[in-house]
Amino acid sequence: NNPKTKYPRQPIEKTTPRTKNNKSTRKNSVQNTTTKPTKKNKTNKDDAILVKQGKIGGQKAVVGVLDFEFMGGSMGSAVGEGIIAAAEKAIEINSALVVFTSSGGARMQEGIFSLMQLPRTIIAVNNLKDNKLPYIVVLTDPTTGGVTASFAMLGDITFAEPRALIGFAGPRVIQSTVKETLPEGFQTAEYIKNHGGIDLVVSRKDLRDTIGNLITILLKKNKIISNEATNENQEHPQQIASTAS
């Protein structure tokens, strides 16, 4: 290697010489080379989020799911857009939004663009709540980093699967920082529930019925609140008119 070059040169790959018995060419050798599968090939997805609409327990719902197999479920620009699109769709069809999280946090490969998704997703969730629509989050193993610091912990009701790891930084990082031994089960779903961080720990087999019943209750409650607010607004002009007369 020349010490003046910026990067060390790669060793030249030896090739089989062309003979009568071996007519291999560089073109053929390139075509037969097995390439390393990309993230899209492995998961058959364009990014780490999947958004669908349908019904849960007879109630309309929009569901967003993070796929940990796609770059650890990390949140980049596409995931942020997915959460925003899901919230907008829920508002459009007047339904609940249910999000299942499984993520290592913000996608650092996208730099500042990944961090911009934190406030963007929070605004999308707030718009949903302004329209009196339920927002339900199910935390699966693991849910950490920027996802925890944004839309994952803003649910009207927050569920978690048993023994799911939930936090911002990992337990080893925290322990090395505070220089203390962490409690047993620290950052597990059960530990966080006992300390008021989430509402309920639910097994996956019970999630459909639990979420369906909850959506029914929340939509009925929000409808009652909206009707009461409408009646109050209608009464005020009449009260003003009678007082003025």
Side-chain angles (χ1 to χ4, degrees), residues 169-183 186-187:
R172 284 181 297 179
V173 174
I174 296 174
Q175 186 161 310
S176 63
T177 302
V178 300
K179 308 298 182 184
E180 294 181 4
T181 302
L182 300 176
F186 183 73
Q187 288 189 321

Side-chain angles (χ1 to χ4, degrees), residues 158-202:
T158 303
F159 298 137
E161 292 191 326
R163 302 297 298 174
L165 174 67
I166 303 165
F168 184 72
R172 284 181 297 179
V173 174
I174 296 174
Q175 186 161 310
S176 63
T177 302
V178 300
K179 308 298 182 184
E180 294 181 4
T181 302
L182 300 176
E184 184 178 354
F186 183 73
Q187 288 189 321
T188 61
E190 291 78 6
Y191 182 93
I192 294 174
K193 175 186 176 296
N194 292 336
H195 289 77
I198 60 177
D199 296 295
L200 195 62
V201 177
V202 184

Side-chain angles (χ1 to χ4, degrees), residues 3-143:
K4 294 183 179 181
T5 58
K6 187 174 181 181
Y7 302 103
R9 294 177 180 174
Q10 298 295 325
I12 298 175
E13 184 178 324
K14 294 182 179 181
T15 58
T16 305
R18 179 171 177 146
T19 63
K20 291 182 179 180
N21 296 327
N22 181 12
K23 297 182 179 181
S24 62
T25 62
R26 181 178 295 274
K27 181 178 180 181
N28 290 334
S29 63
V30 171
Q31 289 176 343
N32 294 330
T33 302
T34 302
T35 59
K36 185 177 180 180
T38 62
K39 296 297 180 185
K40 183 176 180 181
N41 290 340
K42 287 182 177 181
T43 63
N44 199 29
K45 294 182 177 67
D46 294 319
D47 213 282
I49 189 169
L50 179 67
V51 178
K52 294 287 186 179
Q53 72 176 82
K55 290 186 176 182
I56 303 177
Q59 297 290 342
K60 291 186 298 183
V62 176
V63 179
V65 181
L66 296 185
D67 186 356
F68 193 81
E69 290 188 357
F70 193 104
M71 298 184 72
S74 54
M75 178 171 64
S77 300
V79 171
E81 287 293 333
I83 296 296
I84 293 169
E88 290 177 345
K89 188 64 179 180
I91 294 172
E92 177 187 336
I93 66 174
N94 196 38
S95 74
L97 173 60
V98 183
V99 174
F100 291 79
T101 63
S102 179
S103 175
R107 185 174 299 169
M108 291 295 97
Q109 291 88 337
E110 294 190 21
I112 189 63
F113 294 103
S114 67
L115 298 178
M116 288 169 61
Q117 307 314 310
L118 277 72
R120 296 182 75 229
T121 55
I122 290 172
I123 291 171
V125 171
N126 287 339
N127 289 340
L128 186 75
K129 294 184 177 183
D130 289 342
N131 283 271
K132 303 291 189 300
L133 294 172
Y135 175 51
I136 300 170
V137 180
V138 182
L139 308 175
T140 70
D141 183 48
T143 299

Side-chain angles (χ1 to χ4, degrees), residues 138-160:
V138 182
L139 308 175
T140 70
D141 183 48
T143 299
T144 59
V147 170
T148 306
S150 55
F151 63 89
M153 301 304 289
L154 295 178
D156 297 315
I157 301 292
T158 303
F159 298 137

